[in-house]
Amino acid sequence: MSEKARSRATGSDTGTGLPQRRTGRAFAHTPHRSDGRPPQTPRGVRRPGPGGRLGTIPPVPGRPATSRGPLAAARRPLAVSALCALLLALATWQVLLPGPLLSADARLSRALVRTVPDAVTERLSDLGNVPVALPVLLLAAAYAALRGNRRGAAAAVAAMAAVPALVVPLKVWTARPGPLEPWAAGYFPSGHTATAFVAYTGAALLLRPYAGRRWPVAAALVLTGATAAGLVLRGFHWPLDVLAGLLLCTPLLLVVSRCCRSTRRSSG
């Protein structure tokens, strides 16, 4: 039998023998990988690696994940709270001695007191009054609770309730006289500053998820700064009193912020 006849006889037998590659269009455009393995992930579903480049063989060796865990996220508020406690202890120690820091505090106060008309500074100081600041926080807490953030609302109200519990014992212990009233005592730390800081910033943290992410906190800081400036310029408090009020209440607001974030994560 000739070779031509043999090939004609075996060409019709498609059930035996090894499969043959076809050099058609489909095979020519089959994608290949550099390591010889078949492509497992479609091109449109690939995710960028830690370096921003599209990966093909996850996980990419030598590039550990950079996402922060819950432990790393909790360390920053703890560090800030510890720093505030350390600075507050230093200021309290200077008031009790009295220390050299009080001389600089007195010079700064003399340079600032009554440089702005009293009618202006008294209105600014009134922003720290409880009848002015507390309703703002209560309205924000009620709105946040209706929207589902009950944990954050409860934390904000508890922070405001903690302000007199923390401020009054320090006032009694230090018994610092005022800039314009040396016969009086109980000016350290500033209760008006603490009230304004907790009320306005706490309200901003509660409203931030519903009213935008930046302007509520910015408005709260402006109101708190206006209160502190009015107290110092009018001579109601020393600058160190105002700083102590801010340091005292910063850890409270960090707790409120954490409660608001945890509520958003659980609802999302």
Side-chain angles (χ1 to χ4, degrees):
M1 181 185 292
S2 64
E3 289 293 332
K4 187 179 294 184
R6 200 185 208 174
S7 62
R8 202 180 287 122
T10 58
S12 60
D13 186 7
T14 58
T16 59
L18 295 175
Q20 302 295 322
R21 286 188 177 182
R22 293 191 295 176
T23 58
R25 183 182 182 88
F27 181 79
H29 289 276
T30 301
H32 294 277
R33 290 166 55 144
S34 59
D35 58 356
R37 298 171 57 193
Q40 301 293 335
T41 306
R43 186 175 299 274
V45 189
R46 294 180 185 175
R47 298 290 185 266
R53 296 187 294 270
L54 290 176
T56 56
I57 312 176
V60 180
R63 295 180 184 175
T66 58
S67 59
R68 295 188 306 169
L71 180 60
R75 285 175 180 170
R76 184 174 298 177
L78 291 176
V80 174
S81 299
L83 178 61
C84 290
L86 178 62
L87 294 177
L88 179 62
L90 175 63
T92 306
W93 172 55
Q94 290 292 295
V95 171
L96 291 173
L97 282 180
L101 186 59
L102 295 191
S103 301
D105 191 35
R107 288 194 300 268
L108 180 60
S109 178
R110 287 194 296 267
L112 295 176
V113 170
R114 298 288 176 84
T115 56
V116 177
D118 291 351
V120 177
T121 55
E122 286 178 2
R123 299 290 82 78
L124 295 178
S125 302
D126 289 343
L127 293 172
N129 290 338
V130 172
V132 177
L134 182 59
V136 176
L137 178 63
L138 293 179
L139 289 174
Y143 179 78
L146 290 175
R147 295 294 299 266
N149 189 6
R150 295 181 180 86
R151 183 177 182 183
V157 173
M160 178 56 73
V163 169
L166 296 173
V167 170
V168 172
L170 275 176
K171 284 179 175 291
V172 174
W173 184 32
T174 56
R176 189 183 190 189
L180 301 181
E181 297 178 346
W183 59 87
Y187 282 80
F188 179 92
S190 171
H192 279 68
T193 304
T195 299
F197 191 30
V198 172
Y200 299 133
T201 307
L205 293 174
L206 293 173
L207 297 177
R208 183 171 56 177
Y210 317 111
R213 299 189 63 84
R214 294 183 179 179
W215 76 262
V217 175
L221 294 179
V222 169
L223 291 173
T224 304
T227 305
L231 293 169
V232 173
L233 294 174
R234 181 59 180 82
F236 289 149
H237 276 287
W238 304 95
L240 193 60
D241 302 343
V242 169
L243 178 61
L246 298 175
L247 293 173
L248 184 66
C249 297
T250 297
L252 299 177
L253 291 170
L254 290 176
V255 174
V256 175
S257 178
R258 185 172 181 83
C259 291
C260 292
R261 284 199 304 269
S262 62
T263 302
R264 289 201 300 270
R265 284 196 298 264
S266 61
S267 62

